[in-house]
Amino acid sequence: MDPERPGLFKDAAVAPVPAPGTAASVLASDAEREALVERLRVATGEGQLTLEELADRCEAAYLARTREQLAVLGRDLPAAGETSAGTDAAAGAGGGAGTATGKRKFVAMVGDATCRGPAAHGSDTLVAYAVLGDLTLDLCGMTAPSSGELTVTARAVFGDVRLIVPEGVQVELACGSVLGDVRDLTRAHTAPQGRAPRIRVAGAAIFGDITLAHPGDRRNTSWRRWLEEAIRS
């Protein structure tokens, strides 16, 4: 059974769909889409968006047709080049960019453990070990590095490692197995190759399983609902 997960999305204010021919209905260019995606990546690295929100908004950005739709997706973010005072203070106190990388380890040893939305503090690498136990690690609510790429090293030894990843991410799985199983149950992302948030999983399943899956509820987020309504209009 999938673990219960709290709502991770802020409610998005639904903007009215502009009438054809108005200034707001001007078609967006590929360059404008890429610029917004880059802003989303920066915001994620600063802790303003979760990995799931990043995936969801990136997907919406590539599906958006007008400048107005793009503007709504990024209007609650700082303007390009802006950095919040809190981020500046944190960087100064921590010694600069060196604090934005590192590893965090999650272990289930002779028992089961579940972690939802791990506070990775900008870590670009997570370690997930299950030894004689099962570890469920829900990555949807965590923040990701500014690059939008996260590496997970997984080891399942006489136990199972289950990684729950948001829809819309690109998954790269490079795990070996010895009398175990490695399964990728995720669905393909819709953003262009190389631009969707990426999760790389490496490791080994030894008399155990490593499984990647989406949340069981497959929620239709507020951003996606808004965009679908805009496209239909």
Side-chain angles (χ1 to χ4, degrees):
M1 178 180 296
D2 293 327
E4 293 184 3
R5 300 169 56 251
L8 300 174
F9 282 83
K10 297 177 289 186
D11 291 334
V14 178
V17 179
T22 64
S25 68
V26 174
L27 296 179
S29 67
D30 289 341
E32 289 169 326
R33 293 186 184 91
E34 294 294 340
L36 176 60
V37 169
E38 187 58 32
R39 283 181 62 199
L40 294 172
R41 290 179 181 274
V42 172
T44 302
E46 294 178 350
Q48 295 166 336
L49 297 176
T50 66
L51 184 60
E52 187 171 27
E53 288 173 315
L54 174 63
D56 190 58
R57 293 202 200 191
C58 281
E59 181 180 25
Y62 286 115
L63 292 174
R65 297 188 69 251
T66 68
R67 290 177 176 175
E68 172 66 8
Q69 291 169 356
L70 285 179
V72 172
L73 288 169
R75 70 183 178 189
D76 59 343
L77 302 177
E82 285 187 9
T83 305
S84 64
T87 301
D88 289 338
T99 61
T101 61
K103 294 183 179 180
R104 286 211 64 198
K105 182 179 291 187
F106 301 88
V107 179
M109 183 78 70
V110 195
D112 299 341
T114 298
C115 183
R116 302 180 181 89
H121 303 297
S123 298
D124 54 10
T125 301
L126 299 182
V127 177
Y129 288 169
V131 181
L132 295 174
D134 296 341
L135 173 64
T136 299
L137 191 58
D138 187 339
L139 303 178
C140 297
M142 69 171 291
T143 56
S146 58
S147 64
E149 297 185 356
L150 177 71
T151 298
V152 179
T153 301
R155 296 281 190 276
V157 182
F158 291 96
D160 297 339
V161 172
R162 187 163 192 259
L163 303 175
I164 301 176
V165 303
E167 293 195 47
V169 300
Q170 180 178 348
V171 172
E172 291 186 3
L173 191 57
C175 295
S177 63
V178 178
L179 296 177
D181 196 10
V182 178
R183 296 176 293 177
D184 181 2
L185 305 180
T186 62
R187 290 174 283 274
H189 62 92
T190 58
Q193 184 75 12
R195 294 303 292 168
R198 186 193 314 266
I199 296 178
R200 294 186 173 95
V201 182
I206 303 173
F207 293 94
D209 296 340
I210 296 175
T211 304
L212 278 73
H214 292 311
D217 53 9
R218 195 175 184 179
R219 290 171 303 160
N220 186 18
T221 67
S222 53
W223 288 114
R224 195 168 300 165
R225 289 195 303 271
W226 165 79
L227 187 63
E228 289 174 354
E229 179 63 28
I231 291 174
R232 284 195 299 267
S233 301

